[in-house]
Amino acid sequence: MARYPQTGFTLMELMIVVAIVGALLLVALPGYESQLQKGRRVDAMQALQLVASLQENYMLDRSTYTDDLTELNLADPYISEEGHYSVTADACAGGTIANCYLLTATPVAGKPQADDTRCTEFRLSSTGNKSASGSMGNDCW
């Protein structure tokens, strides 16, 4: 009777491969999540630019800005295209809504960006000033 050599992997070899793959995932996953959050921040910037553009058109038509986004044919608050941020409009500090505005984008609760501690809130004013809060501050822009 002829004996055939056994081929395949032993359980020990498979366990070593699983451990190596697990260690690689443990190292790579936080960096991957950080890059995803960074990419989602663009959603806030685009939403702020859209609302600012509509505010400027509104100013041209009516000689005033508005803090009611429904007057710009948007929901109030406006939820960004990808749904990660909500945008609100207020009068800027020391001014009235008639002559200046401050747009604020905050992460929507329950969405992945709510866990982003580096850039928690984005602001854009009618003068073009951009600011952000979080551990990265204005570097978010």
Side-chain angles (χ1 to χ4, degrees):
M1 178 154 81
R3 292 195 79 168
Y4 296 102
Q6 291 185 349
T7 59
F9 298 103
T10 66
L11 182 59
M12 185 58 77
E13 291 169 332
L14 286 174
M15 294 306 294
I16 290 171
V17 169
V18 167
I20 291 171
V21 169
L24 288 173
L25 282 175
L26 192 63
V27 171
L29 205 54
Y32 177 70
E33 181 62 34
S34 175
Q35 290 301 314
L36 285 176
Q37 285 179 339
K38 185 177 178 181
R40 288 187 212 114
R41 292 177 195 143
V42 174
D43 189 36
M45 296 173 204
Q46 289 174 337
L48 288 172
Q49 294 291 343
L50 170 71
V51 176
S53 174
L54 293 172
Q55 282 278 29
E56 295 305 326
N57 287 338
Y58 190 88
M59 172 59 118
L60 288 173
D61 292 341
R62 294 174 182 85
S63 298
T64 185
Y65 293 114
T66 182
D67 58 357
D68 182 5
L69 298 182
T70 60
E71 293 182 15
L72 303 175
N73 295 322
L74 299 173
D76 194 2
Y78 170 66
I79 303 299
S80 63
E81 186 175 326
E82 293 180 17
H84 298 296
Y85 290 90
S86 66
V87 178
T88 57
D90 294 305
C92 56
T96 65
I97 196 64
N99 59 13
C100 64
Y101 64 82
L102 177 65
L103 302 175
T104 305
T106 55
V108 173
K111 296 287 186 168
Q113 282 309 101
D115 298 330
D116 187 3
T117 58
R118 292 181 180 174
C119 303
T120 56
E121 188 176 82
F122 293 85
R123 290 175 295 283
L124 177 63
S125 73
S126 56
T127 60
N129 290 334
K130 299 174 182 177
S131 62
S133 60
S135 62
M136 285 180 55
N138 290 343
D139 290 336
C140 293
W141 281 91

